[in-house]
Amino acid sequence: MNILVINCGSSSLKYQLLDMDTETIIATGVIERIGATMGSITQKSNPDKWPDAKDTEDILIPDHEAAMRLMVAKLTGEDWGVISSLSEIDALGHRVVQGGEEFSHPVLIDESVIKSIRSYVPLAPLHNPANLTGIEIAMELFPGTPNVAVFDTEFHQTIPQKAFMYPIPMELYTGLKVRKYGFHGTSHKYVTKAAAAHLGKPVEAINLITVHLGNGCSMAAVKNGQCVDTTMGLTPLAGLMMGTRCGDIDPAIHAFLAKNRGLSIREIDALLNKESGLNGICGMNDMRDIHAARENGDTNAQLAFEMFAYRVKTTIGAYLAIIGGADAIVFTAGIGENDEFVRAAACEGLEPLGITLDARKNAIRASGIRSIGVVGSSVSVLIIPTDEELEIAQATVDVVNG
Ligand code: ADP
C-alpha cells in the first residue's frame, strides 16, 4: 500500500510517500515560503537508495492549492517523478494538530470530521486552518482516495482529569474547553511502541518517560502504554524550555509585562513564543551553536544549556513519581537523538533513582535505536529516532483496512 503523508503548515507543506508493504520511503519533500514573493520545493526520491541526492527548485507558490498541485506534479512528473499516476497512491494521511477531546484515534475524514476539525480552530488558530486547507485540497486532487486524520493530541487523551485540568474557574473548561491537551503525540506514541518492542515487553505493560527535544520540546509520562501526563498544555508554549518558546513561567508575568512595559497581548504572545527559550537567554536557538559558544566561554550560552537540561531533569523526577518507576527514559528528536551533553546533564545525579548513563555509549554517534544506560540499572536509557511520518502512514493503513 502506498501512503502519502501530508503535513500542511501555515506557510509550508511537508510530504512523504511511503510504500507500507516494505516500510520504505518512495519520496519525501518540503515546500517552503508558500505565499511569499519566492518559494521553493525540495524533494528526495528513494532516499534509502540515494541518501544524499535531492532536487531543489525556487518557484513562486502563491497559495496552498498551488503547493499541493506542485507536489503532485513533482511526484508524477518526468523530471523528479517516482510514480506514473496518482492512482498508485492508495490513501493519504494528514497530520492535524488539534483534535480536542473528540479524537483519541485516527479517523477516516468525511464532512463531519472536517466540521469537527474546524470547530477546534480557536484552540489551534495557526495550525488547524492550514491542516484543513491541506485536507480539502487533497480531497479535490485525489477524488475517491481515502483521507485519514492523525491528531497530535490523540495520544494524550488518556491523561486523567486531575492532570489535564488547570486550577482556574470551572466555567473556562466547561465553556471554552481550556485544559491541557499536549502535542507531539505522534512522536511520543511512535517511540513508546518502539521502546516496548526493543525491550521485549507488550505495549500495554510498558512504563516510560519519553523526552522529545527538537525545536519544540515536550515530555510524556507513559504508564502501561498510555499517556498519563505531558508537559505541553492548551498550547505548545507550555512545559520545557524550547528553542524560542519559554515553556512554563509564572503566569503573572503576562500582567507584569503589560503593566511595566506597556506590551499588548499580541506582543507578549510573540515575545514568549519567538524571542524566549534558548534564544531569549543567549541569542541562539540551535543547540550546536550553543555548544560552540559555551566552548568559547559564552556564559549566557552556558546558562541557557544548564536551564534547558535542568527542566528536563526536574520533569524526569516528577514523572518517575507519577509512574512509580519506569522501564526506560527515551530520548528522541533533533537534540534528544544527537546531543550527548544535554542527555548527560539531564540524567546527571539521577543514579539514586536507578538512572545511570554509560558515558562511553552516550558519546557514540550512531543511527537507529540504542541503549545508553549502564547495564543492570533499574531504568534503561534509550535513544529512539522518532518517525512521525511512518506513524501517520501506519495509522492510515490501519484505518483504511478497518
Ligand atoms: P523539529 O521540532 O523542527 O522537528 P528537530 O527534531 O529536527 O526539530 O530538531 C531540531 C533541533 O535539533 C535543532 O534546532 C538543533 O538544535 C538540534 N540538533 C540537530 N542536530 C543536532 C546535533 N547533532 N547536536 C545537537 N543538536 C542538534
Side-chain angles (χ1 to χ4, degrees):
M1 236 184 168
N2 290 341
I3 305 293
L4 180 60
V5 174
I6 302 280
N7 180 356
C8 203
S10 54
S11 63
S12 69
L13 167 67
K14 290 185 187 156
Y15 59 93
Q16 193 165 106
L17 180 61
L18 296 106
D19 175 347
M20 289 305 288
D21 298 328
T22 54
E23 289 195 359
T24 49
I25 300 170
I26 301 170
T28 182
V30 56
I31 298 175
E32 290 174 297
R33 296 186 301 282
I34 298 170
T37 43
M38 184 52 82
S40 70
I41 177 167
T42 301
Q43 182 175 299
K44 286 183 171 188
S45 305
N46 299 303
D48 291 342
K49 263 195 230 163
W50 298 296
D52 299 325
K54 64 178 180 189
D55 294 300
T56 301
E57 187 181 326
D58 288 331
I59 180 169
L60 180 70
I61 308 154
D63 54 27
H64 284 82
E65 179 162 354
M68 294 278 282
R69 287 190 187 280
L70 180 63
M71 169 192 73
V72 165
K74 291 300 179 191
L75 288 172
T76 57
E78 274 181 15
D79 40 2
W80 310 354
V82 285
I83 49 174
S84 48
S85 96
L86 291 189
S87 63
E88 289 179 43
I89 296 173
D90 299 293
L92 287 89
H94 297 265
R95 176 189 179 212
V96 180
V97 166
Q98 178 56 268
E101 293 186 328
E102 187 177 347
F103 297 108
S104 52
H105 296 284
V107 282
L108 193 64
I109 299 174
D110 59 16
E111 281 308 318
S112 80
V113 171
I114 289 181
K115 208 169 143 199
S116 288
I117 296 172
R118 187 162 290 124
S119 74
Y120 301 124
V121 165
L123 292 173
L126 294 180
H127 292 97
N128 271 32
N131 302 156
L132 268 174
T133 305
I135 290 170
E136 288 177 327
I137 300 168
M139 289 174 109
E140 255 176 67
L141 293 180
F142 297 79
T145 308
N147 285 270
V148 171
V150 181
F151 299 90
D152 261 21
T153 45
E154 61 188 46
F155 184 61
H156 304 303
Q157 277 300 303
T158 45
I159 295 176
Q161 191 168 17
K162 67 181 175 195
F164 75 61
M165 290 293 289
Y166 293 123
I168 54 177
M170 194 64 173
E171 185 276 322
L172 295 176
Y173 171 60
T174 51
L176 276 178
K177 289 288 170 213
V178 175
R179 51 158 285 180
K180 174 184 282 198
Y181 289 96
F183 299 90
H184 290 148
T186 312
S187 175
H188 290 291
K189 186 175 180 182
Y190 176 83
V191 299
T192 294
K193 292 196 294 192
H198 181 79
L199 296 172
K201 278 194 138 188
V203 176
E204 304 73 41
I206 198 87
N207 296 325
L208 300 171
I209 297 170
T210 53
V211 187
H212 177 112
L213 305 177
N215 282 315
C217 301
S218 69
M219 290 172 61
V222 178
K223 187 166 182 158
N224 297 325
Q226 297 204 320
C227 182
V228 290
D229 206 350
T230 192
T231 53
M232 284 179 168
L234 173 75
T235 74
L237 186 58
L240 301 175
M241 179 174 178
M242 309 181 213
T244 63
R245 292 182 223 151
C246 59
D248 288 348
I249 58 169
D250 183 340
I253 289 174
H254 286 74
F256 182 88
L257 291 177
K259 209 166 150 192
N260 291 285
R261 280 277 170 92
L263 297 183
S264 67
I265 294 287
R266 187 188 287 259
E267 286 166 331
I268 294 170
D269 201 44
L271 182 132
L272 299 178
N273 272 288
K274 299 192 178 129
E275 296 163 36
S276 298
L278 295 167
N279 191 43
I281 298 299
C282 69
M284 289 167 267
N285 63 358
D286 190 308
M287 203 48 97
R288 291 163 289 196
D289 297 337
I290 291 175
H291 292 316
R294 286 168 65 215
E295 276 174 29
N296 289 330
D298 182 329
T299 52
N300 285 346
Q302 178 63 25
L303 176 63
F305 164 74
E306 289 178 13
M307 289 169 67
F308 184 89
Y310 176 79
R311 289 197 165 200
V312 176
K313 181 193 284 196
T314 55
T315 310
I316 290 175
Y319 284 2
L320 279 176
I322 293 171
I323 305 169
D327 296 303
I329 315 278
V330 181
F331 286 98
T332 193
I335 298 171
E337 291 165 29
N338 295 300
D339 197 315
E340 62 181 285
F341 306 108
V342 167
R343 292 191 300 257
C347 294
E348 188 190 15
L350 298 183
E351 294 79 8
L353 301 177
I355 300 162
T356 309
L357 268 197
D358 180 319
R360 188 188 61 83
K361 288 187 199 160
N362 183 40
I364 294 173
R365 294 204 149 259
S367 56
I369 298 184
R370 51 214 189 270
S371 177
I372 56 169
V374 165
V375 177
S377 317
S378 56
V379 182
S380 300
V381 185
L382 303 177
I383 298 173
I384 303 188
T386 194
D387 195 338
E388 288 161 282
E389 286 77 16
L390 182 58
E391 182 61 36
I392 292 173
Q394 188 58 58
T396 304
V397 171
D398 292 345
V399 168
V400 170
N401 287 340

